[in-house]
Amino acid sequence: MKLVTAADADGRTFPGIYDAGGIVDLSQHGFATALDVISADASTLVPIVDTGGDVMTDATLKMPLVPRRIIGTGTNYRSHVAEMGGTEPQRPTANFIKLPNSYAAAGDDIEIPPFCLLDYEAEIAIVIGTEVSHADSDAAYQAIFGLCLANDLSARDAPTTHLSLAKSGNGFCPIGPWITTTDELDVADIAFELLVNGELRQDSNSSDMIHSMVDIVASFSHSLPLHPGDVILTGSPSGVGVGQNPPVFLAPGDIVEIRSPQLGTMANRLVSPATVEGKP
Amino acid sequence: MRVTRVLHNDVVKTCMIDNGALVAIERALGGVPEPWEVALAEGDGFTGVGQLPPRDVIHLGFADPSLVLGAEDNFSSQPQSRKTGLAAMRPAAIEPFRRSDPSEDVWIIPRDPRSVAVPGHPIVRPLECEKLDLGVTLAVVTGPGGTVAGYSVGIDVIRRDVPVEHAYLARSYPSHLQLDSALCSPTELDAADTIELTLSIDGEERQHCSMSDLVVQPATLLASIDRRYRLAGGEVILMGTPPGTALDRGDGWLTDGATVVAAITGIGELRTHVVAATT
């Protein structure tokens, strides 16, 4: 199942199931939000997925869910550790979060703040489906509702002591385009790549992670209970802008596209602050 | 001026604390203001609408923040850095872009806003946690644009039993941020060198430090944060905790039943205790 949040022509938002033909409106089945769907007993979803329903073809995709919070794992690909000049962590890290104003959707324009050296980081995002604490590997896997793509946009002019601030400008965490449930995935083999204006910059696979997604969930759950709607970013591979020689940063007009054969495609345009609708 | 929020007859009300009495206040044109708005304005533009009997109210605390950020390594007398994980690293790739600014050496770590305890709720020790630590902290509440709207006393509780790489998770357990129920106007705070922060556990003083020991004072730290993250009104920024934590001492972890008292000169005193989690 590919879970989306969509809006119809009247601006009404609703959770839905996406397929190539359109979107099945889950609000007709009593679900008000994507979190309601994520939190539901899977058995209630099976007949809906099997039988479908009225398909909408003119809805637009929004952020697939409003995250309860987004926790960031840093330094989880050896190639990225090498290009940044850091050291490999012995355990999954939870050193930063993406603050709520950073949440954004595929397709959103994202403003580059003045004097900001903005960089991209393609990542796979875990969406937690059940409350979980002190999980072993099996319980950790069962707690994962699904995966989506994310861009962990980062201001490189900020020090690592201010990491959550550096990663939490307005719109600095687009996620999308939908959440693919784990029954359709091999979480240890998710390919993804990132392109800037059509130029390939990052190309990797979840199999390259230092700590697997299951290990991350299990490790975090021993330190703090995780809840439905929590999102965990799982780190970015090599190829970020600051790792280029010389470093390159995002500029207004750039199109950043992240695509995965399993998780879909997500594109965002970078803009200067003045061109974001409704803002000065 | 001291401000708080209470529930009275199932209605949330903002109150001024006047010699121990609770006086409900409203906007001049009606409506209940946020406590930080009243504290920032020193009450100007707001009207008292009657005293509330203390027995008839439930204290809600002054804050319902959407954002809580905490500082670490913000006391110059701190014997050794508390930075861990990525914060302790200086990756070569981003080193050329660092600024020479003392506020950037202060580690800023978010807490889950759901970790803020309801007034009167004790500190809950997770069942498996044998290294629970805490410290007194000056809690700053923001006005718009990174201004200081008010101050309060805070107790910042941190799990030291979890991996050091889990800095955010270690600071986000429910009940692990204790705040005094009252918010003080900025003018209540005297000069930094006259303000002392103290914390005792079961009568034993563990922390005693002057606010003049802060590496970065509140207005400067808020301005530094606001450069990267636009602060709204009502957010909570913790200024860090002085030396004397169990981590610094190597012992003295919190135990069930312990009574903790934190105080800041001119701001207030916060008393709480520790209980074990039931599940």
Side-chain angles (χ1 to χ4, degrees), chain B residues 11 29 38 162 171 174 201 205 264:
Chain B
V11 177
L29 299 176
V38 180
V162 304
R171 291 162 172 81
I201 300 177
E205 186 171 273
I264 301 178

Side-chain angles (χ1 to χ4, degrees), chain A residues 137-181:
Chain A
S137 293
D138 184 55
Y141 177 77
Q142 295 300 327
I144 301 175
F145 175 83
L147 307 178
C148 66
L149 296 171
N151 190 352
D152 177 18
L153 287 158
S154 307
R156 300 299 190 196
D157 51 304
T160 54
T161 48
H162 291 193
L163 209 53
S164 294
L165 305 176
K167 290 172 172 286
S168 293
N170 289 335
F172 276 19
C173 193
I175 58 174
W178 46 69
I179 303 164
T180 306
T181 48

Side-chain angles (χ1 to χ4, degrees), chain B residues 67-89:
Chain B
L67 174 75
V68 179
L69 299 174
E72 293 270 17
D73 284 2
N74 196 24
F75 282 83
S76 57
S77 57
Q78 177 67 32
Q80 58 189 20
S81 173
R82 298 185 185 128
K83 295 185 183 80
T84 61
L86 291 175
M89 297 181 194

Side-chain angles (χ1 to χ4, degrees), chain B residues 24 44 63 95 106 110 128-129 143 194 238 242 263:
Chain B
D44 286 352
E95 198 61 17
V106 175
E128 72 285 1
C129 178
T194 68
L238 310 176

Side-chain angles (χ1 to χ4, degrees), chain B residues 101-115:
Chain B
D101 180 346
S103 67
E104 300 211 338
D105 288 328
V106 175
W107 185 17
I108 305 294
I109 323 169
R111 273 78 169 148
D112 191 324
R114 288 161 287 226
S115 68

Side-chain angles (χ1 to χ4, degrees), chain A residues 62-249:
Chain A
K62 312 300 270 186
M63 189 163 58
L65 84 163
V66 178
R68 185 176 181 271
R69 61 185 161 195
I70 299 181
I71 305 169
T73 301
T75 56
N76 198 31
Y77 289 80
R78 289 185 180 85
S79 57
H80 182 52
V81 174
E83 72 178 347
M84 294 297 285
T87 54
E88 287 184 21
Q90 292 184 326
R91 290 173 287 262
T93 65
N95 262 331
F96 69 91
I97 63 169
K98 304 289 278 195
L99 299 172
N101 68 318
S102 68
Y103 305 169
D108 282 356
D109 284 351
I110 297 164
E111 65 180 84
I112 303 176
F115 313 111
C116 175
L117 303 177
L118 189 62
D119 204 354
Y120 51 82
E121 292 191 1
E123 307 207 7
I124 297 168
I126 297 167
V127 179
I128 297 295
T130 57
E131 183 170 346
V132 60
S133 62
H134 302 98
D136 58 17
S137 293
D138 184 55
Y141 177 77
Q142 295 300 327
I144 301 175
F145 175 83
L147 307 178
C148 66
L149 296 171
N151 190 352
D152 177 18
L153 287 158
S154 307
R156 300 299 190 196
D157 51 304
T160 54
T161 48
H162 291 193
L163 209 53
S164 294
L165 305 176
K167 290 172 172 286
S168 293
N170 289 335
F172 276 19
C173 193
I175 58 174
W178 46 69
I179 303 164
T180 306
T181 48
T182 50
D183 59 308
E184 297 185 5
L185 299 169
D186 174 358
V187 299
D189 184 19
I190 307 291
F192 65 111
E193 60 186 14
L194 180 144
L195 304 92
V196 178
N197 301 326
E199 177 188 320
L200 183 65
R201 296 282 184 85
Q202 293 183 285
D203 182 5
S204 192
N205 189 293
S206 61
S207 62
D208 296 332
M209 289 179 178
I210 297 171
H211 303 288
S212 73
M213 288 187 260
V214 168
D215 287 347
I216 291 168
V217 172
S219 175
F220 285 10
S221 78
H222 282 267
S223 295
L224 191 71
L226 301 173
H227 296 268
D230 281 346
V231 172
I232 301 172
L233 306 184
T234 57
S236 192
S238 62
V240 296
V242 77
Q244 312 284 318
N245 187 15
V248 289
F249 300 103

Side-chain angles (χ1 to χ4, degrees), chain B residues 64-255:
Chain B
D64 186 16
S66 61
L67 174 75
V68 179
L69 299 174
E72 293 270 17
D73 284 2
N74 196 24
F75 282 83
S76 57
S77 57
Q78 177 67 32
Q80 58 189 20
S81 173
R82 298 185 185 128
K83 295 185 183 80
T84 61
L86 291 175
M89 297 181 194
R90 298 180 70 149
I94 64 171
E95 198 61 17
F97 309 111
R98 279 182 74 95
R99 296 173 185 155
S100 178
D101 180 346
S103 67
E104 300 211 338
D105 288 328
V106 175
W107 185 17
I108 305 294
I109 323 169
R111 273 78 169 148
D112 191 324
R114 288 161 287 226
S115 68
V116 178
V118 174
H121 194 285
I123 297 166
V124 177
R125 181 184 63 80
L127 281 180
E128 72 285 1
C129 178
E130 299 298 331
K131 289 187 174 181
L132 194 60
D133 200 1
L134 51 62
V136 56
T137 184
L138 177 67
V140 182
V141 175
T142 60
T147 54
V148 175
Y151 297 103
S152 190
V153 182
I155 297 174
D156 191 17
V157 184
I158 301 173
R159 292 185 65 167
R160 305 291 189 193
D161 61 316
V162 304
V164 294
E165 295 90 346
H166 291 184
Y168 163 75
L169 305 173
R171 291 162 172 81
S172 292
Y173 193 85
S175 81
H176 282 189
L177 178 54
Q178 301 264 325
L179 296 171
D180 187 18
S181 59
L183 180 66
C184 297
S185 292
T187 52
E188 296 274 324
L189 205 66
D190 293 327
D193 59 1
T194 68
I195 296 167
E196 298 200 325
L197 300 90
T198 59
L199 181 133
S200 65
I201 300 177
D202 292 332
E204 179 194 357
E205 186 171 273
R206 295 286 187 89
Q207 292 178 300
H208 190 153
C209 197
S210 168
M211 200 174 122
S212 61
D213 195 37
L214 282 175
V215 175
V216 181
Q217 293 290 330
T220 306
L221 188 65
L222 266 58
S224 173
I225 293 169
D226 191 64
R227 275 201 297 274
R228 293 209 169 85
Y229 186 90
R230 184 61 62 182
L231 290 167
E235 314 294 22
V236 172
I237 313 296
L238 310 176
M239 293 302 296
T241 195
T245 64
L247 179 72
D248 298 330
R249 298 156 49 108
D251 64 9
W253 310 108
L254 281 178
T255 54

